[in-house]
Amino acid sequence: RAQFSRRRNSAAFTMRATGGGSYKYAAAFRRLGINLLAGDEMKCILAGLNFLLRNVPGEIFSVGVITSPLATPAACAELARNYRAEPPPSEYLYVNIGSGVSILEVRSVGLAEEKGEMHTRYRRMGGSSLGGSTFWGLVRLLTSCSTFDEVIRLTESGTSANV
């Protein structure tokens, strides 16, 4: 169990954080002896994603734009069974689906000499304030589902032609 200093302005522990809460609750954490080191959320996400892409085999797969096999959960399972590893891309679209949706164009532009890490540039291509929270709210209003697993089971027998 970690021991934290209770002295004011004396952080015994530093924790990295992103998002609005890392600023909003920084003073409360400091009172507990925890210094929040805030980082830009998208830069942190992309740094973690790039690490996974380059260091964890099987963490990426690509899907053809015209003939996407991701039409059903069964098709997704089939894709996973027949997956073949590919080298990580230097350019890709990152779609972050949370309470909203962000679509980023990501480009790796070379190694940062001082740290030996890949330098990444990105720009926001678009997005929407409608995302997972909107989806979940609509599901709760339109169905009797109370868990996400129930929603997934409904998708296995449904068809988008009925929407």
Side-chain angles (χ1 to χ4, degrees):
R1 186 174 150 175
Q3 297 294 319
F4 300 112
S5 170
R6 297 272 183 206
R7 291 178 285 153
R8 290 206 184 273
N9 301 324
S10 173
F13 181 76
T14 298
M15 182 169 58
R16 294 185 181 268
T18 65
S22 62
Y23 298 98
K24 182 177 180 179
Y25 300 110
F29 275 91
R30 270 194 304 278
R31 286 191 297 273
L32 295 172
I34 302 169
N35 182 44
L36 290 184
L37 184 59
D40 177 90
E41 190 165 7
M42 284 301 161
K43 285 182 182 177
C44 291
I45 287 171
L46 292 175
L49 178 59
N50 284 334
F51 173 83
L52 291 174
L53 293 177
R54 287 173 177 71
N55 295 289
V56 180
E59 198 61 26
I60 184 175
F61 65 89
S62 62
V63 177
V65 174
I66 304 299
T67 57
S68 173
L70 300 178
T72 66
C76 289
E78 181 67 20
L79 178 68
R81 280 191 293 276
N82 297 311
Y83 167 77
R84 64 181 168 76
E86 296 180 14
S90 60
E91 298 179 350
Y92 57 91
L93 286 179
Y94 172 69
V95 180
N96 186 11
I97 303 173
S99 55
V101 176
S102 287
I103 302 169
L104 304 178
E105 173 189 47
V106 182
R107 296 174 187 266
S108 299
V109 292
L111 287 176
E113 304 242 351
E114 66 278 358
K115 295 182 181 178
E117 298 172 355
M118 187 61 71
H119 180 69
T120 302
R121 289 189 180 163
Y122 69 92
R123 70 181 176 120
R124 189 169 192 273
M125 302 293 292
S128 170
S129 59
L130 304 178
S133 295
T134 303
F135 170 75
W136 185 243
L138 288 171
V139 164
R140 296 293 303 261
L141 287 171
L142 298 172
T143 72
S144 61
C145 294
S146 59
T147 69
F148 192 74
D149 289 338
E150 290 178 81
V151 176
I152 295 304
R153 280 194 292 278
L154 283 178
T155 66
E156 291 170 352
S157 61
T159 174
S160 62
N162 295 334
V163 177

